[in-house]
Amino acid sequence: MATVPSLDALNSGIRLHHLAALDIQGPDAEKFLQGQTSAQVSLADGRFAPLTCFCTPKGRVLANAQLMKIGDSHYRLLLSESLLETLTSHLKKFAAFYKAELTPLAELSLVGAGENARSIAETLDLPLPKAPGTQSANSHASVLCYPGDTPRWLFCLEDDTLIEALDDEGGRAAWQLADIRSGLAWLTEAQQDHFLPQMLNWEALGGISFKKGCYTGQEVVARAHFRGQVKKRLVRAELANSETPTTGDTVINEASKAVGEVVNSAVSETGSIELLAVMNTKVMEEAMPVYIGEARLALLDLPYPIERLDPEQLAMGLAN
């Protein structure tokens, strides 16, 4: 049975075991990342933490993440725990040519919080960032402000004893439901190498810089954008009176033809299922009825327009 979300638990502070961190440190850390990631790495300045992704040479996403700067020549990627090992192995093939060290932090304590975030930040002697995508850090902790209608922050604790937090499935379900309502899809190992970044609406979230130089997969990603070749998009939807679908479940049309696949899903407060799925754009253009099994999907609005949002524009807005 799927876990019912508990906003009370989230507000108190909960352990986010489904996420993990990868640190990149060294004199060449910025240069190394610049050649691998969709972000303009210089924008990660200790205040702005851009969304980013890592791709294959064919432009398919190996992992998506948020890029924080923790200190001089010290960066941190926040991503799905299931992708930590594979992304580390992939990047180490390139890091060997740079003065940069990769450290997977599987045991780093990651805590999500809502209303109690200010109290946690005060305990850690951290300024609490107010705008989505902004961060602050000190020698023993860092914090990132997340997007969405549910106010929430993610804390990275170098010392697990610094604060108390719940190990609560309902709180984690509330966090993941907030991600879905924000139109923010975090890939897991099950869907590595499936999607172009734009199929996850990554350029609409400011996760792709089209103003930077080359990185692995950049040519394919840029071509898809400038030639309008993206035929699949991330959509938000709801199922009533249905079992919770799993990652990769097929979305079909009335002719039982596959038109998409589920990326993330969670139970809502009312017992319905809310989800994100990558679907053929014809589904939206033609208002096509779609289903998971025999249950019909109701398409919901995303909280952002499907248009390019440059991370440089986001960073400039924060600076003003």
Side-chain angles (χ1 to χ4, degrees):
M1 180 178 292
T3 303
V4 176
S6 170
L7 190 58
D8 287 341
L10 172 58
N11 283 336
S12 297
I14 49 101
R15 303 284 176 181
L16 298 175
H17 300 306
H18 67 291
L19 299 177
L22 172 61
D23 274 14
I24 301 95
Q25 293 177 265
D28 291 343
E30 180 178 339
K31 183 178 179 181
F32 161 67
L33 282 169
Q34 184 72 358
Q36 295 300 321
T37 179
S38 65
Q40 184 70 265
V41 179
S42 61
L43 297 178
D45 58 1
R47 184 181 177 212
F48 178 52
L51 291 171
T52 189
C53 65
F54 298 83
C55 299
T56 68
K58 294 184 179 181
R60 301 285 167 162
V61 179
L62 288 170
N64 57 349
Q66 196 133 19
L67 177 63
M68 303 175 72
K69 187 173 184 179
I70 305 301
D72 291 341
S73 302
H74 183 182
Y75 296 89
R76 174 168 294 163
L77 294 165
L78 298 174
L79 69 161
S80 166
E81 184 277 333
S82 71
L83 292 174
L84 181 61
E85 183 178 340
T86 54
L87 182 63
T88 302
S89 297
H90 169 75
L91 292 178
K92 278 186 174 179
K93 294 182 292 185
F94 305 96
F97 302 100
Y98 296 87
K99 293 178 181 178
E101 182 178 350
L102 277 63
T103 308
L105 302 174
E107 303 303 319
L108 184 71
S109 181
L110 302 180
V111 173
E115 292 178 355
N116 196 37
R118 185 167 300 281
S119 174
I120 294 173
E122 289 174 356
T123 300
L124 299 171
D125 195 26
L126 275 173
L128 191 67
K130 296 180 180 180
T134 58
Q135 64 148 104
S136 64
N138 59 27
S139 61
H140 53 267
S142 57
V143 59
L144 173 69
C145 182
Y146 258 62
D149 292 336
T150 301
R152 57 195 177 124
W153 289 261
L154 189 153
F155 293 86
C156 305
L157 309 178
E158 309 294 339
D159 181 350
D160 192 46
T161 65
L162 290 172
I163 62 169
E164 293 184 4
L166 301 175
D167 193 354
D168 186 90
E169 290 293 340
R172 281 189 287 275
W175 181 275
Q176 290 171 309
L177 180 62
D179 274 346
I180 289 169
R181 289 175 173 172
S182 301
L184 185 59
W186 294 110
L187 282 193
T188 59
E189 188 177 21
Q191 290 177 313
Q192 259 193 329
D193 203 11
H194 280 210
F195 309 121
L196 292 171
Q198 291 97 323
M199 294 177 185
L200 300 173
N201 298 346
W202 217 235
E203 89 283 28
L205 289 161
I208 306 173
S209 172
F210 291 97
K211 299 180 179 181
K212 65 173 286 184
C214 292
Y215 58 91
T216 302
Q218 181 264 345
E219 184 178 349
V220 177
V221 173
R223 187 187 308 125
H225 172 71
F226 290 110
R227 294 186 180 180
Q229 295 174 331
V230 182
K231 303 302 180 185
K232 295 180 180 179
R233 281 289 184 180
L234 189 77
V235 302
R236 192 166 73 94
E238 185 175 27
L239 284 169
N241 303 317
S242 173
E243 292 184 3
T244 307
T246 59
T247 298
D249 276 359
T250 302
V251 180
I252 58 174
N253 62 15
E254 288 187 307
S256 296
K257 180 180 178 181
V259 293
E261 63 179 288
V262 175
V263 179
N264 307 114
S265 63
V267 178
S268 75
E269 302 89 343
T270 62
S272 66
I273 309 299
E274 296 188 28
L275 59 89
L276 296 173
V278 173
M279 293 193 205
N280 192 305
T281 53
K282 287 185 178 180
V283 169
M284 290 74 77
E285 293 167 359
E286 301 177 8
M288 185 185 299
V290 289
Y291 306 82
I292 296 177
E294 296 182 357
R296 183 166 176 174
L297 273 174
L299 300 185
L300 304 175
D301 291 335
L302 286 164
Y304 51 78
I306 303 298
E307 57 188 37
R308 172 175 159 182
L309 175 61
D310 289 329
E312 292 83 359
Q313 178 184 342
L314 284 173
M316 186 178 297
L318 292 172
N320 294 333

